[in-house]
């Protein structure tokens, strides 16, 4: 898949997705949603020239907040109520909820120099966003900045990720029923896709049926033993869980991710900078502080420098360690405070994918939690170092 070069960040004119009727005088709901893997974004779905929204689209979930501006512009307010979980959790019977803005997406113009078949093929492979803006390559060195405003009313027992960096899995990487892993060509994958249905990372028999309108539709039958690359835990996440604010770095050097390997550091019990490891994965709590100590009712700005780990593709090796450096700044009680909370630590951070990483922020409520969540985010910037 051709990779679009990372462009220097520039300030774009303010162009906001078409709003629906305001929820209040201060909040403008943003209800348009984009499946960035399978669809390109239309003009009315692009927010402030740089974002698209993902997750549940209830009017309260993502809003422009004019009452809490950041540097003179409305911030983004995110909220999930108790009954807003719409996704299956990691474990059977669990749920999770999502309302986020994605910095990575493609538009129809990104396909203008490709054959007409390129876009529908990318839809089938769920790689549409690979053609667009907002991602960086594996092994790159990047700087990121964003700000969060946590209200005093946020419950201590929330379980939410408010900023995360995602991998971009190579969907043509498959495993057959005998366990042989192969990177298929686009043509080979499309032939496979004609014969089976992939749900998450598993292949199922493709069963024809007739719907109420008399049209032929296809449903997933029995599992057929095929697996496909889907991804895994985010390589980097900032969030709250079990009474802590935490920063977690994850690494997976396996060429085809093993979804049954749930190597994942617990913010409450894992020691800082002591990786929890399996054969191929490592999960590290890079920093944590008690929830009660996290600054509330003020803008907290994080500056994050990352050297993403370099991996050896099919050899499943580590070619070079990564690096993580995090500074948080805020103003409280009339004082400007700066804390260097992760100091250029050598760390495993990333995934063994050919593609790279992209940023999202908002609410990703996990762990079967239904505790209501609401906070504001703003001020995102990124650039190569």
């Amino acid at each position: 898949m051709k990779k679009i070069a990372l462009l220097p960040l520039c300030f774009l004119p303010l162009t906001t997705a078409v709003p629906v009727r305001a929820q209040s005088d201060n909040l403008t709901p943003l209800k348009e949603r984009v499946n960035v893997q399978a669809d390109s974004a239309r003009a009315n779905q692009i927010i402030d020239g740089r974002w698209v929204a993902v997750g549940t689209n209830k009017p309260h979930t993502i809003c422009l907040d004019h009452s809490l501006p950041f540097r003179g512009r409305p911030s983004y307010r995110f909220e999930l109520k108790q009954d807003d979980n719409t996704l299956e959790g990691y474990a059977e019977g669990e749920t999770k909820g999502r309302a986020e803005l994605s910095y990575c997406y493609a538009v129809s113009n990104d396909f203008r120099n490709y054959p007409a078949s390129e876009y529908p093929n990318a839809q089938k492979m769920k790689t549409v966003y690979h053609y667009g803006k907002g991602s960086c390559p594996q092994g790159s060195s990047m700087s990121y900045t964003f700000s969060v405003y946590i209200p005093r009313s946020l419950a201590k027992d929330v379980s939410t990720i408010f900023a995360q960096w995602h991998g971009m899995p190579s969907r043509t990487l498959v495993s057959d029923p005998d366990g042989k892993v192969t990177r298929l060509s686009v043509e080979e994958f499309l032939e496979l896709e004609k014969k089976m249905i992939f749900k998450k990372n598993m292949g199922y028999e493709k069963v024809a049926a007739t719907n109420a309108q008399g049209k032929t539709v296809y449903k997933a039958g029995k599992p057929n033993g095929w697996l496909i690359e889907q991804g895994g835990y985010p390589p980097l996440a900032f969030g709250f869980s079990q009474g802590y604010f935490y920063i977690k770095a994850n690494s997976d050097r396996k060429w085809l991710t093993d979804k049954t390997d749930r190597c994942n550091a617990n913010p409450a019990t894992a020691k800082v900078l002591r990786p929890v490891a399996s054969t191929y994965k490592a999960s590290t709590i890079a920093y944590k502080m008690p929830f009660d100590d996290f600054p509330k009712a003020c803008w907290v700005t994080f500056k994050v420098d990352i050297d993403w780990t370099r991996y050896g593709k099919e050899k499943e090796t580590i070619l070079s360690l990564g690096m993580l450096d995090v500074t948080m700044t805020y103003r409280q009680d009339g004082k400007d405070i700066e804390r260097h909370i992760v100091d250029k630590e050598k760390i495993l951070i990333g995934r063994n994918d050919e593609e790279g990483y992209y940023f999202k922020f908002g609410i990703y409520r996990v762990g079967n939690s239904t505790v209501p969540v609401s906070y504001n985010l703003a001020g995102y910037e990124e650039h190569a170092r």
Side-chain angles (χ1 to χ4, degrees):
M1 186 69 65
K2 182 178 178 181
K3 183 70 184 178
I4 304 299
L6 182 70
L7 298 176
L9 185 67
C10 60
F11 291 97
L12 297 170
L14 180 63
T15 54
T16 302
V18 176
V20 297
R21 181 176 59 86
Q23 185 175 336
S24 73
D25 291 340
N26 293 320
L27 298 178
T28 304
L30 301 170
K31 290 195 67 177
E32 291 290 333
R33 298 293 184 266
V34 178
N35 181 340
V36 297
Q37 289 87 4
D39 292 306
S40 59
R42 300 186 298 275
N44 70 314
Q45 295 173 317
I46 299 172
I47 301 166
D48 291 344
R50 51 171 38 194
W51 301 102
V52 295
V54 298
T56 182
N57 68 340
K58 294 181 180 179
H60 61 271
T61 55
I62 306 178
C63 296
L64 288 175
D65 191 344
H66 303 270
S67 69
L68 189 60
F70 183 84
R71 295 177 182 168
R73 297 172 67 171
S75 61
Y76 304 111
R77 182 182 186 273
F78 301 86
E79 180 180 9
L80 287 183
K81 298 180 180 180
Q82 182 174 344
D83 59 351
D84 284 340
N85 284 3
T86 58
L87 304 172
E88 293 181 5
Y90 292 115
E92 186 175 353
E94 282 190 354
T95 63
K96 53 189 178 182
R98 165 177 284 151
E100 298 175 293
L101 296 182
S102 172
Y103 195 70
C104 178
Y105 59 89
V107 297
S108 59
N109 202 40
D110 292 319
F111 292 86
R112 66 189 183 281
N113 294 324
Y114 291 94
S117 61
E118 195 81 10
Y119 178 65
N121 289 347
Q123 287 185 299
K124 292 176 182 178
M125 294 186 293
K126 297 184 179 179
T127 56
V128 172
Y129 63 149
H130 289 195
Y131 294 79
K133 53 83 70 182
S135 66
C136 69
Q138 184 198 126
S140 57
S141 296
M142 297 290 296
S143 286
Y144 306 91
T145 305
F146 63 93
S147 299
V148 61
Y149 186 102
I150 302 298
R152 298 189 192 280
S153 59
L154 186 66
K156 182 178 181 176
D157 58 344
V158 295
S159 184
T160 180
I161 294 171
F162 61 80
Q164 59 177 314
W165 287 256
H166 259 262
M168 303 176 74
S170 305
R171 297 281 293 180
T172 57
L173 188 63
V174 301
S175 172
D176 68 18
D178 294 325
K180 181 182 178 181
V181 176
T182 307
R183 180 70 186 265
L184 302 178
S185 68
V186 172
E187 292 75 20
E188 289 170 331
F189 177 85
L190 294 175
E191 284 300 313
L192 198 67
E193 192 266 344
K194 292 177 182 178
K195 305 172 186 176
M196 62 188 70
I197 290 175
F198 289 106
K199 296 174 66 175
K200 294 188 175 179
N201 69 319
M202 295 184 64
Y204 296 82
E205 296 175 357
K206 200 169 192 176
V207 179
T210 303
N211 66 13
Q213 289 73 40
K215 295 182 179 180
T216 300
V217 295
Y218 294 94
K219 299 181 179 180
K222 297 179 181 179
N224 60 12
W226 284 82
L227 298 174
I228 189 171
E229 180 60 75
Q230 190 205 6
Y233 294 122
L236 184 62
F238 285 54
F240 297 104
S241 181
Q242 301 179 77
Y244 285 91
F245 160 65
Y246 69 91
I247 300 172
K248 184 189 298 185
N250 289 313
S251 169
D252 183 2
R253 65 180 174 87
K254 195 165 178 60
W255 187 223
L256 180 69
T257 296
D258 180 2
K259 297 284 284 188
T260 66
D261 181 355
R262 294 300 183 188
C263 177
N264 191 23
N266 185 318
T269 59
K271 294 182 179 180
V272 173
L273 296 173
R274 298 287 183 87
V276 175
S278 61
T279 302
Y280 294 97
K281 297 182 180 181
S283 183
T284 307
I285 299 297
Y287 178 79
K288 64 180 178 179
M289 75 162 66
F291 177 88
D292 290 341
D293 294 341
F294 190 89
K296 311 295 195 305
C298 64
W299 283 107
V300 179
T301 296
F302 292 97
K303 182 179 182 298
V304 184
D305 289 343
I306 305 175
D307 292 337
W308 294 102
T309 297
R310 293 178 61 241
Y311 300 88
K313 298 184 180 181
E314 296 95 336
K315 295 181 180 179
E316 299 182 328
T317 53
I318 303 294
L319 300 180
S320 64
L321 282 172
M323 185 279 298
L324 180 63
D325 188 82
V326 183
T327 301
M328 62 184 293
T329 58
Y330 53 97
R331 184 172 180 81
Q332 205 166 52
D333 299 326
K335 297 180 180 179
D336 292 325
I337 299 171
E338 178 175 307
R339 302 177 63 181
H340 197 173
I341 57 177
V342 184
D343 189 2
K344 297 181 180 178
E345 295 290 343
K346 293 294 184 181
I347 200 167
L348 288 169
I349 179 170
R351 288 179 44 80
N352 190 9
D353 295 328
E354 287 202 22
E355 303 293 337
Y357 311 98
Y358 69 101
F359 179 81
K360 295 193 297 183
F361 65 9
I363 296 173
Y364 186 53
R365 186 167 60 184
V366 294
N368 210 33
S369 175
T370 58
V371 176
V373 184
S374 180
Y375 43 67
N376 288 50
L377 289 150
Y380 181 70
E381 302 290 346
E382 69 171 46
H383 63 85
R385 290 193 291 114

